[in-house]
Structure formats: C-alpha cells, structure tokens
C-alpha cells in the first residue's frame, strides 16, 4: 500500500473568525476529547511509521493551540514535512520566525478577495484581510514558502483574477482554489449550478494555462477531465479526488476521515494505529477501488483520473436534511453511499469509450 502523501490535521476547532463557509463550524468552543500534546506526539510517531507525508496543521485556527510550535517541532524532528493552514490572524513577525524555527516549511493563508471589506465580511471580523496580507509578508521575510487558499464562492472569474493578481504582487506563486462543499456553516450558502461550476473551472484553466504559477482547483475533481478536454497537462496535479487514496484528514479528537468534508470515520488513532487505519480500513479500501464507483462515475472514462467528489456523492441513509457533517459532530462510522456518482458533475461519458 502506498504511503499517504498529504494529511490534513484539524489540530483544534477553536477560531476567532466567523467564516460563513466554515466546514466544521469552528468558533470559541473546542471539540470534546481533543488530542493532548502527548497524544499529538504519538500521532506523529504513528504517521512517521507510514512514511514522510506533508502534514498540514489546520483548524479552526492552529495558532490558538499553545503547544503548536512544540507539535510542529516534534514532527519536523521525526522527519515529517510540516506545514500550516491558517487565516494569518495571529502571524506577526515574531510568530513567523517561531514557525520557521519549529520547522514549518510552508504556510497556506486564506485570502478571498482583493479588497478588505469583501474578505472581512466573508470571514466575519473586521481587520482580517489586513492581517492576512501582512502575514504573507512576514512569512516570506522569515523564509517560509506561502500559498494562498481562496474560497471560490461565486462564479465571477474576475474575482479569481483579482486575488491571484494581488498574490503575485506579494510574491506568491502557489494557489489552491477551493470550491467549498456544503458542510458546517457552508450549508447556508446558495450553491452555483453544476454548469456554472464547470464553466468557471474551464475559464480558470484556459486563462492560466501558460502562467508561471502553480494553480490547482480543489474539491473540484472534474478539473482533470476539463483540463484533458482542453489539452492542458500538469504532472503536479495528481488525481482529481485524493480522498482516502493519497490524502486523509485527522479530526481534532483523533478520528481519521478520507477528507474534511466526508464525515465517515475510518478509525481513531487513540484505539487503532494510524498505519492500520490507512492500510486496512474498509472505507479507504473501497475508495481506492474505482470498480466500486456507481452511477455516472462508475461508467465514466475519467474515473481513475477524476474519480468524482466523494463528499458530494455521499448520502447519509438515516437522515433527510442536511446530508453533511454538522458543526462539531464526531465523524461517523461507514453509513451511506460514498462510491456513488458526483451530483455536481454534468458530464455524460460516451459508453463506447469505457473499457
């Protein structure tokens, strides 16, 4: 079994922001049973037994954990590639230096608009945009690589252009464009149609096809099929949906899920070693077998390169509405169709092209 390539770790669910799209409804309350410092060290040891993946310390706001630098340093000492996802709210010059000294190689900072008013309104607190922009500078000054994470909430390509233009003016070359999935507070956001979703991805790929930037649509696995249709290739992209294949999420209480938006627990690191969860979980085993995909995804000629969004495909059998992880709810045991078709993909494959 291949080792995980990326692990996202919700190290805390505390956060000072009130983002309208937060998938875990983070805020003042901490999740019950959050892993302690020593337990976090143990998890790092367990991860190291599988290889040397990139470990993304995330939240909530990871810098609200008093032991965050110790956790980052321990992971670095064990040979893991430690990075961080943050709003930038607490990153001043001293914090950036401490992150660097703890071995943090890169920091992904959320930036959703070129102007402060729009970003701050989206994030629920005034002054967040200014802190994020300053945090980018502090991290770059400290020698830490910076990536901008943009949540693409509307269909205006101009908004994507504006954020990337701002980022490049700040010296940033790496961008993750997130197409949020309606979990947590994002359930209240009016979604685009699948056709709008598809067209926006197409415009992004066409516009930046020759740009000297690293840009990847995220939670939008259809981008791999769209890129192929346009004759655009990038070996760094990898598979469209990585959930359970080369990527997973560790929840604050130790539950391991395929991704942050799929509320299915493959096991808990307090009771089962991470390498056993990663290698032997029936959930991960199912997600790694494209022959188990059903509906349009099962018939699609792109099922091994795209795979469809497994979180959007998932449907809980014992609930009517909503069909997603709610706030601080603990991820559940396997209970639903995680291998179904992605309802946000309008593509219909030509069956004669399917082997």
């Amino acid at each position: 079994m291949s080792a995980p390539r990326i692990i996202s770790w919700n190290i805390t669910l505390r956060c000072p922001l009130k983002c309208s799209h937060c998938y875990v409804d983070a805020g003042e309350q901490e999740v019950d049973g959050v892993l302690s410092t020593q337990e976090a060290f143990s998890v790092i040891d367990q991860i190291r037994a599988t290889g040397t993946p990139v470990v993304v310390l995330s939240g909530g706001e990871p810098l609200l954990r008093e032991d965050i630098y110790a956790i980052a340093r321990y992971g670095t000492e064990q040979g893991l590639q430690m990075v961080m996802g943050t709003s930038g709210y607490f990153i001043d010059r001293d914090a950036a230096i401490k992150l660097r000294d703890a071995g943090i190689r890169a920091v992904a900072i959320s930036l959703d608009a070129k102007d402060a008013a729009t970003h701050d309104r989206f994030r629920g607190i005034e002054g967040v945009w200014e802190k994020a922009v300053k945090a980018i500078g502090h991290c770059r000054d400290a020698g830490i690589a910076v990536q901008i994470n943009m949540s693409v909430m509307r269909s205006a390509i101009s908004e994507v252009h504006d954020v990337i233009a701002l980022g490049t003016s700040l010296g940033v070359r790496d961008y993750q464009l997130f197409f949020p999935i309606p979990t947590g507070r994002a359930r209240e956001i009016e979604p685009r149609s699948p056709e709008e979703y598809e067209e926006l991805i197409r415009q992004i790929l066409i516009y930046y096809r020759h740009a000297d930037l690293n840009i990847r649509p995220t939670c939008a696995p259809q981008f791999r099929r769209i890129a192929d249709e346009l004759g655009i290739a990038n070996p760094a992209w990898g598979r469209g949906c990585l959930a359970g294949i080369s990527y997973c999420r560790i929840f604050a209480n130790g539950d391991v899920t395929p991704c942050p938006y799929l509320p299915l627990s493959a096991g808990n690191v307090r009771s089962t070693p991470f390498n056993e969860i990663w290698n032997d979980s029936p959930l991960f085993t199912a997600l790694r077998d494209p022959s188990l995909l059903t509906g349009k995804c099962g018939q699609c000629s792109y099922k091994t390169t795209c795979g469809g969004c497994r979180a959007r495909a998932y449907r809980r059998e014992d609930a009517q509405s909503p069909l997603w992880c709610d706030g601080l709810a603990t991820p559940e045991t396997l209970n639903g169709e995680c291998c179904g078709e992605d309802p946000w993909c309008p593509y219909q494959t030509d069956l004669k092209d399917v082997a």
Side-chain angles (χ1 to χ4, degrees), residues 60-341:
E61 173 51 62
L63 285 165
L64 276 177
R65 277 197 66 141
E66 295 77 6
D67 56 359
I68 193 65
Y69 300 107
I71 292 172
R73 185 175 298 107
Y74 187 80
T76 299
E77 290 171 350
Q78 303 314 305
L80 299 179
Q81 304 175 63
M82 305 299 291
V83 303
M84 180 173 287
T86 173
S87 67
Y89 194 77
F90 294 113
I91 298 182
D92 55 17
R93 182 173 286 104
D94 289 343
I97 292 171
K98 290 173 70 174
L99 288 171
R100 178 199 64 197
D101 292 346
I104 292 293
R105 298 189 180 190
V107 171
I109 295 175
S110 299
L111 195 63
D112 306 304
K114 71 171 182 178
D115 63 287
T118 301
H119 179 86
D120 290 356
R121 186 165 54 250
F122 183 53
R123 296 285 165 177
I125 292 182
E126 292 184 3
V128 180
W129 183 91
E130 182 178 2
K131 287 179 178 291
V133 170
K134 288 183 177 179
I136 291 171
H138 292 319
C139 288
R140 284 180 50 77
D141 290 345
I144 300 173
V146 175
Q147 172 181 292
I148 285 178
N149 287 352
M150 178 187 182
S151 294
V152 184
M153 305 304 297
R154 291 163 293 275
S155 298
I157 185 67
S158 61
E159 296 184 4
V160 175
H161 294 334
D162 288 343
V163 168
I164 292 178
L166 173 59
T168 53
S169 73
L170 298 171
V172 178
R173 314 301 295 173
D174 299 296
Y175 299 84
Q176 291 261 19
L177 305 179
F178 284 83
F179 290 76
I181 295 170
T183 66
R185 292 197 290 267
R187 290 181 290 121
E188 305 302 321
I189 297 174
E190 182 71 23
R192 293 182 304 277
S193 71
E195 290 73 23
E196 288 178 296
Y197 171 84
E198 180 111 345
E199 180 57 27
L200 181 57
I201 295 170
R202 187 178 304 277
Q203 292 179 42
I204 291 168
L205 291 173
I206 291 173
Y207 190 89
Y208 294 102
R209 68 188 304 167
H210 300 304
D212 185 25
L213 301 170
N214 298 314
I215 300 173
R216 189 186 195 279
T218 299
C219 300
Q222 294 90 333
F223 91 89
R224 286 299 318 274
R225 184 252 307 158
I226 298 169
D228 186 71
E229 293 171 343
L230 295 169
I232 300 173
N234 185 335
W237 279 338
R239 191 177 188 271
C241 182
L242 307 175
I245 298 172
S246 59
Y247 170 80
C248 69
R249 181 271 295 265
I250 300 176
F251 198 58
N253 68 350
D255 276 302
V256 180
T257 73
C259 84
Y261 307 102
L262 186 55
L264 301 174
S265 179
N268 189 291
V269 293
R270 282 187 165 122
S271 56
T272 307
F274 177 80
N275 68 326
E276 291 186 19
I277 296 172
W278 178 257
N279 291 323
D280 303 328
S281 161
L283 173 58
F284 286 171
T285 299
L287 292 171
R288 292 165 187 163
D289 186 353
S291 71
L292 296 181
L293 293 174
T294 62
K296 290 189 300 182
C297 287
Q299 298 175 332
C300 186
S301 54
Y302 290 96
K303 66 182 179 181
T304 59
T305 54
C306 165
C309 177
R310 295 302 92 217
R312 289 192 176 95
Y314 174 71
R315 290 294 182 267
R316 192 178 302 171
E317 295 175 344
D318 61 351
Q320 295 180 3
S321 172
L323 300 172
W324 311 97
C325 183
D326 299 324
L328 303 182
T330 301
E332 302 172 359
T333 56
L334 181 57
N335 177 22
E337 177 55 272
C338 64
C339 294
E341 67 179 45

